[in-house]
């Protein structure tokens, strides 16, 4: 959930149906100060969709980070997923088609970063995962922390840059700044 003011609030989540018969639908809601409005979800190509964070940058610039799977089952890898609101409708952003889950997304002065990890229940080894938006789309960023690492949160810095926070190894804190 994120709010830009008392009459501009976004909430998002996954309706967990707990079955392998129908895909889990998304819940995309906006509060205008008087009522909640539910928006249709964009086509993502994913069967399972888990939303982790909402970032309301402007009235026509809202982001959601998460992950999806193309089929039910523990062996199916989790793929990064980013949704974007342009002021009229939600769309699914084109991101690398690879193992990865996103926990947060932040936009600051034209710079956009999404972070998470490459965790998969069927594969115990994982690393941090980061995507950066470039003029040609979302691109994978090199890992700046080695080993088992998850980046959970981002905080845009007024004037430029983004802070990130997470854990590494046996839950050691990771705090990093991207300029």
């Amino acid at each position: 959930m994120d709010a830009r003011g008392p009459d501009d609030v976004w909430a998002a989540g996954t309706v967990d149906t707990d079955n392998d018969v129908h895909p889990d639908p998304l819940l995309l809601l906006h509060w205008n100060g008087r009522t909640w409005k539910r928006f249709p979800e964009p086509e993502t190509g994913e069967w399972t969709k888990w939303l982790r964070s909402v970032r309301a940058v402007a009235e026509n610039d809202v982001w959601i980070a998460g992950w999806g799977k193309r089929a039910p089952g523990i062996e199916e890898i989790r793929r990064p997923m980013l949704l974007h609101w342009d002021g009229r409708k939600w769309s699914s952003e084109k991101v690398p088609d690879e193992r990865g889950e996103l926990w947060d997304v932040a936009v600051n002065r034209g710079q956009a970063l999404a972070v998470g990890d490459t965790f998969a229940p069927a594969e115990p080894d994982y690393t941090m995962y980061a995507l950066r938006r470039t003029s040609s789309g979302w691109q994978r960023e090199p890992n700046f922390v080695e080993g088992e690492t998850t980046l959970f949160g981002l905080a845009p810095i007024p004037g430029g840059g983004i802070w990130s926070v997470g854990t590494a190894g046996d839950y050691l804190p990771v705090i990093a700044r991207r300029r």
Side-chain angles (χ1 to χ4, degrees):
M1 180 173 245
D2 198 12
R4 294 185 54 249
D7 59 354
D8 190 5
V9 181
W10 285 95
T14 303
V15 180
D16 187 4
T17 59
D18 201 27
N19 69 53
D20 292 341
V21 179
H22 302 288
D24 296 332
L26 297 180
L27 191 60
L28 304 170
L29 302 170
H30 182 258
W31 174 256
N32 65 8
R34 291 189 302 274
T35 61
W36 286 101
K37 179 178 180 181
R38 185 174 184 175
F39 288 87
E41 66 182 84
E43 177 55 46
T44 64
E46 304 293 346
W47 176 273
T48 302
K49 300 168 287 274
W50 283 100
L51 305 182
R52 295 293 186 194
S53 68
V54 178
R55 184 75 62 169
V57 180
E59 184 177 314
N60 62 349
D61 193 14
V62 180
W63 294 89
I64 296 176
W67 57 266
K69 296 189 324 183
R70 294 201 179 126
I74 195 167
E75 69 284 345
E76 183 68 26
I77 67 166
R78 297 172 179 187
R79 290 178 171 79
M81 183 172 55
L82 285 169
L83 305 180
H84 183 249
W85 171 258
D86 66 3
R88 296 181 307 113
K89 66 179 175 37
W90 284 99
S91 61
S92 181
E93 290 283 296
K94 184 171 175 33
V95 295
D97 183 16
E98 59 192 3
R99 181 176 151 189
E101 45 181 34
L102 296 173
W103 285 80
D104 201 3
V105 59
V107 178
N108 192 14
R109 302 184 86 183
Q111 179 183 6
L113 187 68
V115 296
D117 60 34
T118 60
F119 176 79
E123 299 179 31
D125 294 329
Y126 65 94
T127 62
M128 67 162 278
Y129 187 79
L131 298 175
R132 182 175 53 90
R133 189 176 63 193
T134 68
S135 59
S136 59
W138 289 91
Q139 306 292 323
R140 178 85 184 261
E141 282 282 280
N143 290 354
F144 55 84
V145 179
E146 295 301 317
E148 292 183 354
T149 304
T150 300
L151 297 178
F152 294 112
L154 295 169
I157 304 166
I162 298 174
W163 282 101
S164 60
V165 64
T167 60
D170 292 327
Y171 302 103
L172 299 171
V174 172
I175 301 174
R177 180 179 181 178
R178 178 179 174 83
R179 297 182 190 269

